[in-house]
């Protein structure tokens, strides 16, 4: 029979000498437990448990014997995270025989998981020849040893090191529940154990108990101060405070900590042990209320540890960051709020939880339940927290991030005083109406239709929703997305663009061949025509979403009339199969590849409309990567070649009676918008933040006068790389709101 205290005392002596070899530790445990065998299995990459040290089994098996997580009793212990105490292990159904270990003679076995920061990093086993049940004290002693060994494995680098593993760069999307609405874009901060016990074992239990009680008193005082200083108004937060105080004042868990200290642990290690136990117990309870109390308890334990460590004050500020937490207590939320976080995701957070109540009172956008996000995130990562749509997007694609940035900018622009223009039509001072439409990529932008007063959606980038969810949705899901767009638009027109994937818009895990020049590579409609199943699935979804309403679809990156014809044929074939058929089906193309300009006569006979994608058109026209900031100032849309091209297009399209619009980002910049309207574009489609400023400048514009000015600037600027300054000078003179 062992005395746990003597075991811990011996371990303390060994560990005080510095980094203790695992072999020495297992020898001591075997001796003190009067066990014939004590072994440690360490977690290796690929979820393998490898025999890392043993006293009693064949030493040649070290580094050779491996079990998958879930395989054998050791694997089962790791998979379930629970202690296995078996008098007759060899007859257990999970037993996996490994001849190289020489373990035939041993009947009884205890396996204890080695856990660190909620991860299993290995397994400790003890075996005896005689069939025996290890008693509760022995198992408890082994659990304490397991805690030490987990630290030893982690600090010696003997475990798989997955915590420090290679950072992922792929976007990840997590769905959860909205606990408090709002959108935030920012760096992530991880809420984790702020603290690691430096000293696990202590010599003088009385002194440790004194430390514990002093720290608990300090914690109580600090909590009172925190709540007094930062408590948001309202009844609910007050109820939270009352409930929280009750838990803080409950001496049950502190008594249990005291008991562990009496057993030889340091105060810090005892707090961690008790919290770990509670965590395991509560996790097995499904009741959401009790699980919420676990967050409160962990919050308190974290505070107590900080007090014991004397570091409760040194919290860095993290302005604008998104906090990711597995669990979060209300006091922790208040602390983080004081440090400047702008949004929160709590994996185990529920609407009725204390942290959620606090978050609502503080107006912090908060998402609950996005499981796996904490493990997937690295401290350097950026994220979009879209608590309105219940999503967290980790490492967002730049296109997805841009959409969110624009949505936020639009909200700000509106607050900045343009709102009066919302319900006014877009007309020039001399009465020429212009249709201003929205570029939209996610459903969250749909409210911009009403907010900006746009006349419809001139570009719905269907791939953005797929990028945001990390995969191409099936037909029904896609149809639901598109139907929501049409519902939100009501009588306003919507131009759907088919998937424009490839180039820089890659889905995670997509098997795409390496390309030297992805922007000019296998992308967009080219993929659609080579993989017609995908394209037809999307077309079907669009037709289903329309459900008899008018439908407008356009194709991106069309380079030849033949490509357009092929895509159109696919859509028309699908349209014959879907009922109800759309009241009107308009099929158009984007003009992004310059070659189309020399196919205009044929093209205009086959398309119902054209929308100029000036972002891509300019990059191909000037052979200048649109994503390269070093080139961004080098070529200008407001230059003779581009304006000549637009003019030729407008003239040809007018004669063929084909409507033309422009939907690149340029349309949202007031001076560009002036010129485009001056050239004769009747419709401009742009990101939401542009609508009201463009409306404002058009309202001040004498179009007839400007057309003369534009013509003369174009005549006089032959050979100039840009006409921008001449036009801007005129606009400033006219005091237009640039
Ligand atoms: C464009 O190229 O101008 C366009 C609108 O498409 P995207 O920016 O999505 O490539
Ligand atoms: Mg494009």
């Amino acid at each position: 029979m062992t005395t746990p205290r003597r075991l811990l005392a011996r371990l303390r002596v060994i560990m005080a000498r510095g980094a203790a070899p695992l072999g020495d530790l297992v020898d001591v445990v075997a001796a003190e437990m009067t066990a014939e065998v004590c072994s440690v299995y360490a977690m290796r990459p690929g979820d393998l448990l490898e025999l890392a040290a043993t006293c009693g089994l064949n030493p040649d098996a070290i580094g050779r014997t491996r079990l998958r997580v879930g395989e054998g009793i050791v694997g089962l212990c790791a998979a379930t995270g629970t202690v296995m105490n078996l008098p007759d292990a060899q007859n257990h159904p999970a037993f996996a025989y490994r001849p190289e270990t020489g373990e035939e003679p041993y009947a009884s076995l205890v396996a204890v998981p080695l856990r660190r920061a909620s991860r299993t990093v290995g397994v400790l086993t003890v075996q005896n020849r005689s069939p025996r049940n290890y008693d509760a004290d022995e198992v408890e002693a082994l659990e304490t040893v397991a805690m030490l060994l987990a630290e030893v494995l982690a600090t010696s680098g003997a475990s798989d090191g997955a915590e420090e593993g290679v950072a992922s760069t792929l976007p990840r999307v997590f769905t959860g529940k909205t606990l408090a609405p709002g959108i935030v874009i920012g760096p992530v901060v991880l809420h984790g154990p702020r603290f690691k016990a430096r000293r696990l074992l202590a010599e003088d239990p009385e002194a440790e108990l004194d430390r514990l009680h002093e720290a608990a008193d300090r914690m109580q005082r600090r909590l009172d101060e925190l709540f007094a200083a930062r408590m948001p108004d309202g009844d609910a937060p007050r109820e939270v405070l009352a409930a929280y105080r009750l838990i803080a004042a409950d001496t049950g868990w502190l008594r249990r900590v005291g008991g562990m200290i009496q057993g030889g642990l340091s105060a810090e290690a005892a707090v961690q042990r008790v919290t770990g136990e509670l965590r395991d117990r509560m996790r097995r309870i499904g009741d959401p209320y009790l699980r919420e109390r676990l967050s409160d308890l962990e919050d308190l334990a974290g505070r107590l540890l900080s007090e014991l460590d004397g570091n409760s004050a040194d919290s860095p500020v993290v302005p604008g960051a998104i906090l990711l937490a597995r669990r979060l207590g209300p006091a922790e939320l208040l602390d983080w709020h004081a440090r400047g976080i702008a949004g929160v995701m709590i994996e185990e957070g529920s609407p009725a939880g204390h942290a959620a109540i606090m978050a609502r009172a503080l107006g912090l956008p908060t998402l609950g339940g996005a499981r796996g996000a904490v493990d997937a995130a690295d401290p350097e990562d950026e994220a979009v927290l879209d608590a309105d749509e219940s999503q967290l997007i980790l490492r967002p694609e730049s296109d997805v991030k841009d959409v969110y940035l624009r949505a936020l900018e639009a909200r700000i622009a509106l607050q900045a005083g343009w709102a009066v223009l919302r319900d006014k039509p877009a007309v020039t001072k001399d009465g020429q109406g212009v249709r201003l439409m929205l570029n939209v990529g996610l459903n969250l932008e749909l409210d911009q239709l009403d907010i900006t007063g746009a006349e419809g959606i001139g570009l719905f980038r269907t791939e953005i929703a797929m990028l945001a969810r990390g995969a191409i949705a099936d037909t029904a899901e896609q149809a639901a997305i598109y139907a929501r767009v049409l519902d939100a638009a009501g009588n306003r027109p919507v131009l759907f663009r088919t998937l424009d994937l490839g180039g820089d818009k890659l889905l995670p895990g997509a098997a795409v061949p390496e390309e030297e020049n992805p922007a000019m590579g296998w992308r967009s409609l080219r993929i659609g025509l080579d993989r017609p199943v995908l394209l037809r699935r999307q077309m079907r979804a669009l037709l289903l979403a329309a459900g008899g309403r008018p439908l407008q679809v356009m194709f991106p990156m069309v380079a030849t009339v033949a490509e357009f014809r092929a895509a159109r044929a696919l859509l028309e074939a699908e349209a014959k199969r879907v009922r109800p058929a759309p009241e009107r089906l308009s099929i158009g193309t984007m003009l992004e590849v310059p070659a189309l300009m020399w196919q205009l006569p044929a093209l205009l006979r086959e398309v119902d409309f054209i929308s100029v994608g000036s972002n891509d058109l300019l990059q191909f026209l000037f052979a200048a990567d649109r994503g390269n900031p070093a080139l961004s100032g080098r070529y200008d849309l407001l230059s003779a070649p581009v304006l000549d091209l637009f003019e030729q297009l407008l003239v040809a399209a007018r004669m063929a009676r084909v409507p033309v619009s422009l939907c690149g980002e340029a349309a949202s910049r007031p001076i560009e918008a002036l010129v485009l309207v001056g050239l004769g574009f009747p419709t401009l489609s742009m990101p939401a933040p542009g609508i009201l400023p463009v409306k404002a400048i058009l309202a001040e514009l004498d179009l007839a006068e400007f057309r003369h000015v534009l013509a003369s600037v174009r005549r006089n600027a032959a050979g100039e790389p840009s006409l921008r300054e001449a036009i801007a000078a005129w606009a400033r003179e006219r005091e237009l709101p640039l």
Side-chain angles (χ1 to χ4, degrees), residues 380-642:
E380 313 280 290
D381 284 342
E382 249 207 326
V384 172
L385 177 83
D386 178 359
D388 290 352
E389 288 284 317
S390 308
Q391 275 196 336
L392 175 82
I393 307 172
L394 209 52
R395 303 178 285 269
E397 285 274 343
S398 59
D399 289 64
V400 173
K401 187 175 138 194
D402 285 351
V403 167
Y404 277 99
L405 280 172
R406 287 197 303 261
L408 286 178
E409 273 172 32
R411 289 182 186 187
I412 293 163
L414 198 74
Q415 286 155 5
W418 299 110
V420 285
L421 289 169
R422 179 179 49 199
D423 300 321
K424 302 212 167 106
V427 266
T428 63
K429 204 157 118 190
D430 48 349
Q432 174 71 51
V434 181
R435 288 214 308 175
L436 301 186
M437 317 259 281
L438 271 186
N439 292 354
V440 173
L442 287 173
N443 284 348
L444 82 103
E445 294 180 291
L446 292 173
D447 61 356
Q448 295 297 337
L449 275 170
D450 292 331
I451 293 174
T452 61
E455 287 186 44
I457 295 173
L459 168 65
F460 187 86
R461 291 178 163 105
T462 56
E463 70 282 357
I464 301 284
M466 308 301 140
L467 289 167
R469 55 192 293 143
I472 298 185
D474 64 23
T475 312
E477 287 168 317
Q478 283 193 51
I481 295 172
Y482 307 145
R484 274 208 297 278
V485 178
L486 289 169
D487 293 346
N491 290 329
R492 293 166 286 202
V494 179
L495 268 64
F496 286 101
R497 175 175 78 184
T498 58
L499 291 172
D500 187 22
L501 289 166
D504 61 344
K505 295 184 232 178
L506 291 180
L507 284 169
V512 195
E514 287 256 324
E515 294 185 285
E516 291 251 325
N517 258 318
M520 297 195 284
W522 192 57
R523 56 171 284 206
S524 197
L525 185 67
R526 297 165 184 178
I527 301 181
L529 292 175
D530 291 349
R531 298 266 185 283
V533 173
L534 211 79
L535 183 56
R536 284 176 39 199
R537 189 205 289 175
Q538 178 175 37
M539 290 168 166
R540 200 157 45 245
L542 286 163
L543 289 156
L544 287 168
R549 291 176 278 193
L551 179 65
Q552 305 191 62
V553 179
M554 61 184 177
F555 306 117
M557 283 293 290
V558 173
T560 65
V561 175
E563 285 174 348
F564 175 78
R565 205 176 281 155
R568 176 169 196 135
L570 285 176
L571 180 52
E572 284 174 340
E574 282 308 317
K576 290 209 179 85
R577 292 195 192 106
V578 175
R579 287 290 166 270
E583 182 188 315
R584 207 172 45 252
L585 178 60
S586 310
I587 308 176
T589 183
M590 294 195 66
L591 194 151
E592 298 179 289
V593 181
L596 274 191
M597 281 302 291
W598 287 271
Q599 305 167 64
L600 279 180
L603 186 71
L604 287 165
R605 275 198 296 277
E606 307 205 15
V607 296
D608 297 327
F609 61 90
I610 292 180
S611 181
V612 179
S614 54
N615 305 333
D616 274 317
L617 182 63
L618 258 77
Q619 84 162 339
F620 298 129
L621 201 60
F622 288 111
D625 182 349
R626 67 192 254 188
N628 185 341
L631 302 179
S632 64
R634 211 174 175 100
Y635 308 100
D636 200 343
L637 180 132
L638 300 183
S639 61
V642 183

Side-chain angles (χ1 to χ4, degrees), residues 65 249 267 277 329 348 354 386 445 448 521 566 611 693 697 703 722:
T65 294
E277 276 179 11
E348 294 185 17
H354 285 164
D386 178 359
E445 294 180 291
Q448 295 297 337
S611 181
I697 198 169
L703 184 60
S722 170

